[in-house]
Amino acid sequence: MIGPPARHHLFENFTSCLSVEPAFDRTVVSYQGNRGVPGFRWMKYKEGFSRRLVEQFIQAYRPHSVLDPFSGIGTVPIIATGHGALGTGIEIMPIGARVGEGIVQAANGVSATDMSRATDALLRRIKTSRPAPKRFSFPHVRITEQAFSAETELEIAKARHFISEVDRPAIRLLLDVACMTVLESVSYTRKDGQYLRWDCRSGRSLRSRVDKGPIATFHDAIEARLWEMIEDMDSLKDAYGRGYPHLMIGSSLNLLRKFSAGQFDMVITSPPYANRYDYTRTYALELAWLGYDQDGFAKLRQRMLSATVENKPKLNWLHSVYADDRVFLDTAFTMYRSQSVLHDILNALRNKAHELSNKHVIRLLEGYFQEMAIIIKELGRVVAPGGTVIMVNDNVQYHGEEVPVDFILSDFAEQSGFVCENIWVLPRGKGNSSQQMARFGRREIRKCVYRWVRTDERY
Ligand SMILES: C[S@@+](CC[C@H](N)C(=O)[O-])C[C@H]1O[C@@H](n2cnc3c(N)ncnc32)[C@H](O)[C@@H]1O
């Protein structure tokens, strides 16, 4: 356990910002609130915000320009644009970016009539007895092999063949989104927390005997999804038909550089949590659908914000990104290096490295906080004086050491020109893992929403 004085100092600084906020239950903060919400219900993007949460902040602050540097399926930029603001999002995984673009196209371009015609034609093609040429087969990677039944494989190939022949890019995109978003439901897999669980019918040799129940045919699943998309089109046009948000695909670790100082008056965001969650594993089917091969998976994972035990340091790359502004990078790294509570925790974990289930959690935490120091310092630059940052994040715990992510990131924020006004705590925290519980007892880890306000001073 980390003792005084460093922890006391950090806790003294930020404890007064803490308050339990009953309004932020899981259905508001997380994707769960999006069931039935036009557009955002198409993809079960479990890491996503609910529409309600984003609307609540946009309505309260009425910003002119809003940024989400980890924008997922584009919830923040799309909703901000729908409310008349300039919405910008940066997302590294093409899955989220593509769904977001699909919602925008449905709101601004494609008509329900054109989409219905395309749907009928696609469904007819899937029903034909003629198989698609081999090159349209699902592009499996090792971890997706045997995910589908033989019949589903044939139907998927016919759909891919059909989509390749569609001329209009917006229709092609929407059909592609529809297919990508049903892959899990027609497969022998299920996204389950950090894992992709396999159904016992997959033919893989498995220890567990998960049975996910009835599995729809690809034809039926895609039919249901496409009619849902068509049904949503009018509401999407009403809500988000005012223009196009700026959806950027790439890493905020180098793209934030491109914005001018004070360009945004609000940021609403939720970065990956420091919890080992590997998006490339849970979204393996969707990434394979998009053409990622094994090497592509590894490269994408490495480019993402460090949050898994596989991530290696990005220092050389970060030095090249900041080659023309070494001072900026050095200041961000100094914030990281001088965070004594974090380093006490890292040292405690290093001393127990032989007891850790995976010693690379140390490297994960080092990378996570170095990179978040850069992101937060950039937010201090791009948010205008008086502007607000809302950030959703969870604390984490490794080997009985709780990492107060909320306090550490708020400390970085205060060194980057913000004042931490609130750390709203969700009424229910996150339980620790069963192994940790057996060893260290039950502990609830804080899940929080932070509010930082940019001061008028120059940083
Ligand atoms: C917690 S989710 C946020 C989801 C989003 N709030 C929504 O409503 O869909 C974090 C997102 O950050 C993305 N991400 C991870 N590393 C990134 C990076 N370096 N740059 C931009 N996005 C990144 C992940 O792919 C993931 O979609």
Side-chain angles (χ1 to χ4, degrees), residues 20-26 425-429 444 447:
V20 175
E21 181 46 66
F24 291 150
D25 64 22
R26 278 184 201 202
V425 183
L426 270 63
R428 266 195 66 192
E444 238 187 42
K447 295 171 81 69

Side-chain angles (χ1 to χ4, degrees), residues 283-307:
Y283 288 98
L285 289 178
E286 294 79 4
L287 287 173
W289 168 269
L290 294 174
Y292 277 71
D293 59 13
Q294 211 66 48
D295 189 40
F297 272 58
K299 284 195 176 126
L300 175 64
R301 188 189 307 117
Q302 174 57 20
R303 287 179 59 227
M304 295 176 84
L305 194 89
S306 292

Side-chain angles (χ1 to χ4, degrees), residues 219-409:
H219 175 278
D220 292 356
I222 192 77
E223 181 174 30
R225 170 70 76 241
L226 282 162
W227 288 117
E228 184 180 81
M229 289 169 85
I230 293 164
E231 190 182 294
D232 285 355
M233 289 179 93
D234 282 346
S235 334
L236 289 178
K237 287 184 175 34
D238 285 346
Y240 314 119
R242 295 169 130 215
Y244 292 80
H246 187 197
L247 301 178
M248 302 166 81
I249 304 184
S251 173
S252 43
L253 283 167
N254 64 321
L255 291 178
L256 283 173
R257 284 265 75 195
K258 307 218 176 288
F259 300 128
S260 352
Q263 187 173 333
F264 300 98
D265 46 22
M266 182 154 206
V267 169
I268 306 177
T269 195
S270 174
Y273 304 164
N275 62 2
R276 300 184 58 168
Y277 181 96
D278 182 357
Y279 290 83
T280 62
R281 191 177 289 269
T282 35
Y283 288 98
L285 289 178
E286 294 79 4
L287 287 173
W289 168 269
L290 294 174
Y292 277 71
D293 59 13
Q294 211 66 48
D295 189 40
F297 272 58
K299 284 195 176 126
L300 175 64
R301 188 189 307 117
Q302 174 57 20
R303 287 179 59 227
M304 295 176 84
L305 194 89
S306 292
T308 75
V309 286
E310 280 87 18
N311 283 107
K312 304 206 173 68
K314 302 183 180 54
L315 293 177
N316 288 343
W317 177 71
L318 288 169
H319 279 292
S320 71
V321 170
Y322 282 91
D324 60 348
D325 197 352
R326 295 272 170 174
V327 176
F328 188 96
L329 192 64
D330 286 348
T331 322
F333 284 163
T334 304
M335 288 193 320
Y336 162 79
R337 275 196 301 269
S338 58
Q339 214 323 304
S340 43
V341 169
L342 173 62
H343 290 286
D344 283 351
I345 295 171
L346 287 169
N347 285 334
L349 291 173
R350 283 183 198 113
N351 290 337
K352 289 185 264 183
H354 57 287
E355 294 176 34
L356 299 176
S357 59
N358 187 323
K359 67 176 185 338
H360 293 315
V361 296
I362 299 169
R363 189 174 69 189
L364 177 169
L365 291 171
E366 290 165 348
Y368 185 81
F369 285 105
Q370 270 167 8
E371 293 165 28
M372 281 305 289
I374 297 173
I375 297 285
I376 292 171
K377 180 131 187 69
E378 283 289 4
L379 296 186
R381 190 181 65 81
V382 301
V383 173
T388 302
V389 173
I390 300 289
M391 184 177 286
V392 177
N393 205 335
D394 281 6
N395 286 358
V396 291
Q397 175 173 257
Y398 288 108
H399 204 69
E401 293 290 349
E402 178 173 353
V403 185
V405 179
D406 45 3
F407 291 176
I408 295 171
L409 296 187

Side-chain angles (χ1 to χ4, degrees), residues 148-179:
F148 307 114
S149 68
E151 187 196 349
T152 300
E153 291 278 2
L154 289 174
E155 293 191 347
I156 289 179
K158 286 184 225 170
R160 289 172 69 83
H161 186 199
F162 177 87
I163 293 171
S164 75
E165 294 169 344
V166 173
D167 288 335
R168 268 185 69 190
I171 302 259
R172 201 165 55 231
L173 170 74
L174 284 168
L175 295 177
D176 188 86
V177 166
C179 293

Side-chain angles (χ1 to χ4, degrees), residues 109-122:
V110 179
S111 77
T113 319
D114 288 351
M115 198 58 201
S116 310
R117 257 191 230 120
T119 296
D120 288 339
L122 170 63

